[in-house]
């Protein structure tokens, strides 16, 4: 026993990862050198503090909620990225893992051990990348917006040409005018979807919204396509209230259902099953269809902008909807994936923090 304790203390003290033993009141009464140097406090100073005193205010609530769940035995561990305030007042980022300590018989005690890895450099790099991406998206938005007016001018002059000389053109001339018209219309559509894609992430605050109401709004928007396809759509989930960006969430649901309707099979009516459930601190929603499906080896491509797996001559679209879905889900801090069987159908599943 003594050897085991000595080994634990040796590892604990000299670990390069910040370690702290915390009691049920949140006081780190035992800490190692790494976390002391990370935060700039001595072990004695930390022992007389609660972890809330050196946690960034914006991250405290999430940490406290999970710590209380841990103490009550509702969860065995948790992981989160959080900001710490050092003794000098600097803000650093840490990857925190907290687990209950068990006794010799395997029973949980009222103490926990926390492990903290300094990820400040990684988070700063991510922030710079995020800022660069935002600048690129803003550039794309402005360029696309500015191109709309010249395009409208081209369309206007094209209409004038048709009125002035259209009837006097030979077959080839009329075909050329028709091709110009088709090209300008395609460019117009692409500019619109680029504007939509680049504007994702601009919506300010999340709100508590009704998933059932959002679904009803989307079905109303798509009623003509639903009627044309004679589609059967059913919501089999129990989840209703969701914390999300309202407009982006509506667009997300609309794109996924529209995708299921568009890529339906020619030999059967579309059936779309919507399921939802709450798992831990997330809500998971899946939209399953019985459409044409695709080979899973191409799964990585479907979330890329302007990518289409199906024949353009059969299925209309620009290959932007699913790229928008991925960007919306990621803006919410969630994940999206899919499973598909060619000829049988596809399931899109996304999860959002809730």
């Amino acid at each position: 026993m003594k050897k085991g304790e000595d080994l634990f203390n040796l590892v604990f003290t000299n670990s390069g990862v910040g370690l702290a033993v915390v009691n049920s009141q949140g006081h780190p009464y035992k800490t190692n050198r790494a976390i002391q140097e990370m935060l700039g406090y001595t072990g004695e100073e930390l022992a007389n503090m609660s972890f809330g005193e050196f946690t960034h205010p914006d991250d405290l609530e999430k940490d406290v909620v999970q710590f209380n769940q841990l103490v009550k035995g509702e969860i065995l561990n948790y992981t989160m990225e959080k900001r710490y305030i050092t003794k000098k007042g600097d803000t650093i980022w840490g990857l925190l893992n907290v687990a209950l300590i068990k006794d010799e018989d395997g029973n949980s005690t009222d103490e926990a051990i926390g492990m903290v890895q300094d990820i400040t450099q990684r988070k700063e790099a991510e922030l710079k990348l995020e800022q660069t991406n935002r600048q690129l998206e803003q550039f794309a938005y402005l360029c696309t917006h500015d191109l709309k007016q010249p395009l409208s001018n081209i369309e206007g002059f094209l209409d004038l040409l048709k009125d002035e000389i259209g009837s006097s053109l030979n077959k080839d001339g009329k075909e050329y005018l028709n091709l110009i018209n088709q090209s300008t219309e395609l460019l117009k559509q692409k500019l619109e979807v680029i504007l939509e894609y680049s504007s994702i992430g601009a919506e300010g605050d999340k709100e508590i919204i009704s998933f059932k109401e959002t679904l009803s709004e989307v079905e109303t928007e798509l009623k003509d396509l639903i009627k044309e396809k004679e589609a059967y759509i059913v919501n089999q989930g129990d989840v209703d209230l969701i914390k999300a960006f309202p407009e982006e969430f509506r667009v997300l649901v609309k794109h996924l259902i529209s995708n299921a309707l568009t890529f339906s099979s020619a030999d059967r009516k579309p059936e779309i099953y919507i399921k939802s459930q709450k798992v831990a601190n997330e809500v998971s929603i899946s939209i399953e269809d019985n459409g044409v499906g695709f080979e899973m080896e191409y799964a990585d491509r479907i979330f890329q902008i302007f990518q289409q797996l199906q024949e353009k001559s059969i299925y209309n679209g620009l290959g932007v909807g699913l790229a928008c879905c991925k960007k919306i889900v990621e803006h919410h801090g969630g994940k999206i994936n899919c499973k598909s069987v060619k000829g049988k159908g596809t399931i899109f599943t996304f999860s959002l923090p809730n």
Side-chain angles (χ1 to χ4, degrees), residues 252-302:
L252 168 64
V253 175
K254 182 180 178 181
H255 275 313
L256 290 175
I257 292 179
S258 177
N259 187 79
L261 292 168
T262 300
F263 298 105
S264 57
S265 176
D267 58 7
R268 56 184 177 269
K269 295 177 181 178
E271 294 180 3
I272 301 171
Y273 299 94
I274 302 164
K275 300 175 183 177
S276 57
Q277 61 178 332
K278 288 186 177 179
V279 182
N281 297 315
E282 293 183 333
V283 59
S284 175
I285 297 174
S286 66
I287 297 179
E288 178 179 357
D289 64 59
N290 64 338
V292 294
F294 57 87
E295 301 286 355
M296 282 300 291
E297 62 184 288
Y298 303 113
D300 290 341
R301 286 177 50 193
I302 63 169

Side-chain angles (χ1 to χ4, degrees), residues 224-232 261-264 268-270 315:
D224 292 338
L225 184 56
I226 292 171
K227 184 178 180 180
E228 176 192 331
K229 297 279 188 175
E230 298 182 68
Y232 173 72
L261 292 168
T262 300
F263 298 105
S264 57
R268 56 184 177 269
K269 295 177 181 178
Y315 300 98

Side-chain angles (χ1 to χ4, degrees), residues 88-99:
K88 292 181 178 180
D90 298 326
T91 299
I92 62 171
W93 277 94
L95 175 62
L96 171 67
N97 294 275
V98 186

Side-chain angles (χ1 to χ4, degrees), residues 100-275:
L100 279 177
I101 296 175
K102 296 185 177 182
D103 60 23
E104 296 175 4
D105 299 322
N107 299 315
S108 297
T109 66
D110 61 351
E111 295 181 339
I113 185 165
M115 294 170 281
V116 184
Q117 180 181 355
D118 190 337
I119 57 169
T120 304
Q121 288 186 338
R122 194 198 84 194
K123 294 298 290 188
E124 288 176 348
E126 288 176 357
L127 181 60
K128 287 181 181 178
L129 180 60
E130 187 179 319
Q131 290 172 339
T132 300
N133 286 337
R134 277 202 300 266
Q135 289 170 353
L136 288 172
E137 287 168 4
Q138 182 68 9
F139 176 74
Y141 179 87
L142 292 173
C143 285
T144 306
H145 187 271
D146 289 346
L147 284 172
K148 289 179 71 178
Q149 185 57 51
L151 183 59
S152 295
N153 293 339
I154 293 172
E155 286 183 311
F157 287 123
L158 186 60
D159 289 336
L160 287 173
L161 273 176
K162 287 179 182 177
D163 293 338
E164 292 288 334
I165 63 171
S167 58
S168 63
L169 291 174
N170 59 22
K171 184 179 178 181
D172 287 342
K174 290 178 179 179
E175 179 63 21
Y176 296 152
L177 272 182
N178 186 48
L179 289 173
I180 294 172
N181 187 61
Q182 289 178 7
S183 296
T184 54
E185 183 59 34
L186 179 60
L187 180 56
K188 185 178 180 180
Q189 291 174 14
K190 287 196 172 187
L191 288 177
E192 290 294 338
V193 296
I194 291 173
L195 275 172
E196 178 186 359
Y197 183 80
S198 60
S199 64
I200 293 170
E203 197 168 354
D205 298 314
K206 290 183 180 180
E207 299 176 18
I208 302 297
I209 60 174
S210 168
F211 176 46
K212 293 176 182 178
E213 288 181 9
T214 301
L215 192 56
S216 178
E217 291 173 9
V218 168
E219 288 182 13
T220 300
E221 288 184 67
L222 298 173
K223 63 181 180 180
D224 292 338
L225 184 56
I226 292 171
K227 184 178 180 180
E228 176 192 331
K229 297 279 188 175
E230 298 182 68
Y232 173 72
I233 303 176
V234 59
N235 180 15
Q236 299 177 324
D238 297 323
V239 173
D240 184 24
L241 298 182
I242 295 174
K243 191 172 185 180
F245 300 106
E247 178 58 20
E248 286 189 7
F249 186 75
R250 184 194 64 78
V251 171
L252 168 64
V253 175
K254 182 180 178 181
H255 275 313
L256 290 175
I257 292 179
S258 177
N259 187 79
L261 292 168
T262 300
F263 298 105
S264 57
S265 176
D267 58 7
R268 56 184 177 269
K269 295 177 181 178
E271 294 180 3
I272 301 171
Y273 299 94
I274 302 164
K275 300 175 183 177

